[in-house]
Amino acid sequence: MLSFFTGFTVGLSLIVAIGAQNIWVLSQSMAGANRLVIALVCISCDALLIITGVYSVQWLQQIMPPLVPVLTWCGVLMLLWLAYGAARRAWQGSQGLMAKQQVQVQPWPKTAITALAITLLNPHVYLDTVVLIGGVGTLQPQPGWFTVGACLASFLWFSSLTALAPKLKTVLSSPKRWRVFDALVALTLAGIALKLAVV
């Protein structure tokens, strides 16, 4: 179950960091704009990208074994860089997650297309879900459980954002709470990087 926990913590830490997508989801959800559609699209895209990342890296590992150490150290460096960014935000403080006040509610097909565009046209999502999560996942003793944990993190995050938007707007817009959250993210990512480095 350690692989599951690692997948959940890495997945949650990276998914939360994709700010533009989260701001759009929260803004739309606050306006009651097809919240179920938004959640389904975001969760489905994340699950597909996470599964693709973990198992495509496993396939590359089988045909190119020397690639494994390279991916490992790239993953370590990327995790440390993200941990540094989170630690810096925790030290300096930030404005929290700010949602737009004015939202135009669209028909659900248009909302679904917009959600797909915001998710899949963001290069950051591929770096995080395919490259980084995939690279960490393939090094786990149980990659399947890692994948389940990462997908569950996405499910819980976007379900919470869409279903609890009015309450979460107050919680997530607090700079103090985000400083605490960023500090926890920094410690988690640094710990996972250290674990990968000594494997």
Side-chain angles (χ1 to χ4, degrees):
M1 293 301 287
L2 180 60
S3 295
F4 173 83
F5 178 74
T6 303
F8 184 84
T9 52
V10 170
L12 186 62
S13 299
L14 296 178
I15 290 166
V16 171
I18 305 175
Q21 183 189 44
N22 289 327
I23 291 170
W24 181 81
V25 169
L26 185 59
S27 299
Q28 294 291 315
S29 299
M30 282 296 300
N34 305 303
R35 291 186 290 178
L36 180 60
V37 172
I38 293 170
L40 287 174
V41 169
C42 292
I43 293 167
S44 299
C45 288
D46 270 0
L48 179 62
L49 292 171
I50 290 167
I51 292 168
T52 300
V54 172
Y55 291 100
S56 64
V57 172
Q58 277 193 326
W59 175 74
L60 288 173
Q61 178 183 350
Q62 291 176 355
I63 63 172
M64 298 176 62
L67 188 63
V68 176
V70 175
L71 288 175
T72 300
W73 284 106
C74 286
V76 168
L77 292 174
M78 197 178 301
L79 286 167
L80 289 175
W81 174 253
L82 292 171
Y84 167 74
R88 185 177 61 182
R89 291 193 304 271
W91 178 261
Q92 296 177 346
S94 64
Q95 296 180 341
L97 185 62
M98 305 300 291
K100 297 178 182 177
Q101 298 297 320
Q102 299 296 327
V103 173
Q104 182 179 2
V105 179
Q106 301 171 331
W108 75 263
K110 194 168 183 180
T111 300
I113 292 171
T114 305
L116 280 170
I118 287 176
T119 301
L120 299 178
L121 296 180
N122 180 3
H124 198 261
V125 77
Y126 294 99
L127 181 64
D128 285 350
T129 57
V130 177
V131 178
L132 185 52
I133 292 180
V136 175
T138 197
L139 297 170
Q140 300 302 308
Q142 296 177 304
W145 279 112
F146 175 91
T147 304
V148 171
C151 290
L152 180 62
S154 174
F155 174 80
L156 292 178
W157 175 253
F158 287 112
S159 296
S160 299
L161 269 188
T162 52
L164 307 174
K167 183 176 287 291
L168 284 174
K169 181 184 177 184
T170 302
V171 174
L172 296 177
S173 62
S174 167
K176 289 183 179 179
R177 292 190 182 100
W178 268 100
R179 292 185 77 172
V180 172
F181 185 79
D182 277 329
L184 292 174
V185 167
L187 289 173
T188 300
L189 294 179
I192 293 169
L194 180 61
K195 183 174 182 294
L196 286 176
V198 299
V199 168

